[in-house]
């Protein structure tokens, strides 16, 4: 059981799309819309089944985390520019305008950010109320910003898992788990990256792992503020699962960010009711009812012919990813042997 308290995954048999008996590597395709947690999921697998990140790779996250601090405060500033409901003091507005012109987080810029974060209730409310399209871990970035800028800072595993870096292009991760070789292909989830997906749809894909961010049902896309992230993910899921390339492919749906979803249901009990007219106020306050509603919406949108397998997931939890991937792995192996009459 992971730190997120995710539900226990139910073991089901997963059908395998395998055309080559001699294939020894199980090919998996990782898809999902932007900020669904795909990169975090891959980082966990590297920590679990490879040697983790090298010292050089770890060092790269210093700059990434510093960038997360700066860009999230800038996103607060852009949000304020479009809102009449919130207003900064003249002094803090001037400081925010200066931050919006910055490109790199240095000690001078950090001092300005920390001043706003520690002294302005408006900014605190925007961040804690999950407004402005900020990253899921914006609070974590601001609370640890001074540590990130220290010249001797070494990112921890938690820092790395919560770091936000846009995935571009196509990357492969190969690893061995209990003697079985896997190769996972990860593709960027933003709209601009999806044209590259078609090149990954060819080949012997055993299963498609599709990630959905549970907590983003009331957020808008960064690349298109007029479009809701839940609607975008639901539409994308329907299109991918209906694709001719995956007619006989097993689909696994990871309902990710279960920890943040639980927190949102607790702290914003009317959020689901405000977003979905067919969710009652009583269900909106209840985690299980709210989770079942979102799961049902994705099950209804599923266009595949094989059975859909759904797992609530917390990708930042190593234990959670380990337990769930072990369940998926074991069933993949069992069914692969069955398909090949071994």
């Amino acid at each position: 059981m992971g730190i997120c308290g995710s539900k226990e995954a139910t073991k089901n048999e997963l059908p395998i799309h395998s055309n080559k008996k001699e294939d020894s590597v199980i090919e998996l395709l990782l898809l999902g819309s932007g900020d669904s947690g795909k990169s975090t999921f891959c980082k966990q697998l590297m920590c679990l089944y490879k040697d983790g990140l090298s010292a050089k790779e770890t060092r790269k996250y210093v700059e990434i985390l510093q960038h997360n601090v700066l860009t999230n405060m800038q996103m607060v500033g852009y949000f304020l520019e479009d809102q009449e409901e919130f207003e900064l003091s003249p002094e803090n507005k001037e400081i925010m305008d200066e931050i919006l012109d910055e490109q790199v987080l240095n000690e001078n810029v950090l001092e300005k950010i920390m001043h706003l974060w520690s002294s302005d209730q408006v900014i605190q409310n925007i961040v804690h109320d999950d407004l402005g399209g900020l990253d899921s871990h914006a609070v974590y970035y601001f609370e640890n910003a001074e540590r990130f800028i220290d010249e001797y800072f070494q990112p921890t595993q938690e820092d790395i898992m919560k770091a936000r870096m846009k995935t571009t292009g196509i990357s492969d991760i190969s690893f061995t788990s209990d003697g079985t070789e896997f190769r996972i292909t990860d593709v960027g989830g933003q709209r601009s990256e999806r044209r590259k997906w078609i090149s990954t749809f060819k080949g012997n894909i055993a299963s498609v792992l599709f990630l959905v961010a549970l907590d983003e049902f009331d957020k808008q896309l960064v690349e298109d503020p007029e479009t809701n992230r839940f609607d975008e993910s639901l539409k994308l899921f329907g299109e991918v699962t209906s694709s001719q390339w995956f007619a006989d492919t097993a689909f696994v749906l990871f309902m990710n960010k279960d920890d943040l979803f639980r927190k949102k249901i607790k702290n914003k009990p009317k959020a689901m009711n405000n977003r979905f007219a067919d969710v009652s106020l009583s269900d909106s306050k209840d985690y299980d009812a709210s989770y079942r509603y979102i799961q049902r919406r994705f099950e209804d949108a599923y266009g595949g012919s094989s059975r859909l397998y759904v797992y609530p997931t917390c990708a930042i939890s190593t234990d959670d990813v380990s337990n769930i991937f072990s369940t998926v792995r074991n069933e993949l192996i069992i069914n692969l042997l069955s398909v090949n009459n071994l």
Side-chain angles (χ1 to χ4, degrees):
M1 184 69 68
I3 59 173
C4 304
S6 175
K7 299 176 182 177
E8 182 179 356
T10 301
K11 291 188 177 182
N12 296 304
E13 291 190 357
L14 296 172
I16 298 298
H17 182 208
S18 180
N19 296 322
K20 298 179 181 180
K21 183 175 180 179
E22 67 272 22
D23 281 353
S24 59
V25 178
I26 297 180
E27 301 273 0
L28 305 176
L29 183 58
L30 189 62
L31 300 178
S33 58
D35 205 25
S36 59
K38 295 188 291 83
S39 296
T40 303
F41 189 82
C42 285
K43 285 184 285 187
Q44 290 286 18
L45 293 178
M46 290 183 67
C47 290
L48 286 166
Y49 301 113
K50 294 178 73 71
D51 295 329
L53 300 175
S54 66
K56 182 178 180 181
E57 290 171 325
T58 299
R59 190 63 188 168
K60 290 179 182 179
Y61 281 91
V62 173
E63 183 177 341
I64 293 170
L65 288 160
Q66 291 174 356
H67 184 70
N68 290 156
V69 174
L70 176 59
T71 56
N72 274 271
M73 185 57 76
Q74 289 175 333
M75 290 171 72
V76 172
Y78 295 135
F79 174 75
L80 286 167
E81 289 180 349
D82 296 331
Q83 298 292 322
E84 297 182 358
E85 179 182 355
F86 304 98
E87 187 175 355
L88 300 178
S89 67
E91 176 190 358
N92 284 351
K93 186 179 185 308
E94 182 177 346
I95 293 175
M96 179 63 81
D97 289 340
E98 293 173 357
I99 292 173
L100 291 177
D101 291 331
E102 299 292 345
Q103 300 294 322
V104 178
L105 183 70
N106 53 40
E107 291 185 1
N108 180 52
V109 177
L110 177 64
E111 183 178 352
K112 296 175 183 178
I113 289 176
M114 296 312 297
H115 169 78
L116 294 181
W117 174 243
S118 62
S119 67
D120 200 295
Q121 190 61 46
V122 170
I123 291 177
Q124 288 270 347
N125 291 341
I126 291 172
V127 176
H128 284 289
D129 288 346
D130 204 17
L131 303 176
L134 306 184
D135 290 338
S136 299
H137 301 295
V139 173
Y140 183 84
Y141 301 149
F142 295 137
E143 290 180 344
N144 291 274
E146 293 178 322
R147 186 167 59 89
F148 296 163
I149 201 71
D150 188 276
E151 63 176 314
Y152 299 109
F153 168 59
Q154 291 291 331
T156 64
Q157 182 167 327
E158 183 179 13
D159 295 333
I160 292 171
M161 294 305 160
K162 290 184 175 180
R164 173 77 173 102
M165 180 175 62
K166 177 182 175 182
T167 302
T168 58
I170 301 171
S171 61
D172 289 330
I173 299 175
S174 297
F175 59 92
T176 300
S177 174
D178 283 357
T180 302
E181 293 184 58
F182 291 88
R183 180 162 51 240
I184 294 184
T185 300
D186 180 21
V187 191
Q190 283 75 20
R191 286 180 174 179
S192 60
E193 295 293 315
R194 293 177 197 166
R195 65 180 182 274
K196 303 172 185 176
W197 286 16
I198 191 65
S199 64
T200 69
F201 290 177
K202 302 173 183 178
N204 189 32
I205 303 298
S207 181
V208 175
L209 312 181
F210 195 99
L211 269 72
V212 172
L214 278 170
D215 69 313
E216 295 186 341
F217 61 86
D218 58 352
K219 290 185 177 182
Q220 306 302 108
L221 289 177
V222 174
E223 60 264 48
D224 180 11
E226 299 299 318
T227 301
N228 176 268
R229 294 190 187 186
F230 171 86
D231 293 341
E232 177 82 356
S233 187
L234 191 67
K235 178 183 177 183
L236 180 62
F237 181 70
E239 292 174 350
V240 170
T241 58
S242 300
S243 170
Q244 61 175 327
W245 300 104
F246 304 125
D248 301 313
T249 304
F251 271 87
V252 181
L253 177 64
F254 290 124
M255 307 282 273
N256 194 31
K257 302 190 179 182
D258 185 57
D259 59 326
L260 299 177
F261 182 66
R262 288 176 181 272
K263 182 178 179 181
K264 179 169 287 188
I265 296 302
K266 179 181 179 180
N267 295 339
K268 301 173 70 175
K270 296 182 180 179
M272 285 287 289
N273 174 258
N274 291 337
R275 174 64 183 84
F276 304 107
D278 53 344
V279 174
S280 67
L281 277 173
S282 60
D283 283 350
S284 183
K285 301 175 184 178
D286 183 76
Y287 163 80
D288 290 323
S290 296
Y291 175 87
R292 286 195 301 268
Y293 175 84
I294 292 181
Q295 177 175 334
R296 178 175 59 80
R297 291 291 300 273
F298 276 90
E299 288 174 340
D300 290 345
Y302 181 57
S305 58
S306 300
R307 181 175 175 181
L308 174 65
Y309 300 85
V310 186
Y311 298 91
T313 312
C314 176
I316 64 169
S317 166
T318 303
D319 288 342
D320 206 47
V321 172
S322 176
N323 291 337
I324 291 175
F325 187 78
S326 292
T327 298
V328 173
R329 177 201 62 208
N330 292 340
E331 297 302 334
L332 283 170
I333 294 171
I334 290 171
N335 286 277
L336 183 58
L337 293 173
S338 175
V339 167
N340 290 306
N341 296 318
L342 296 177

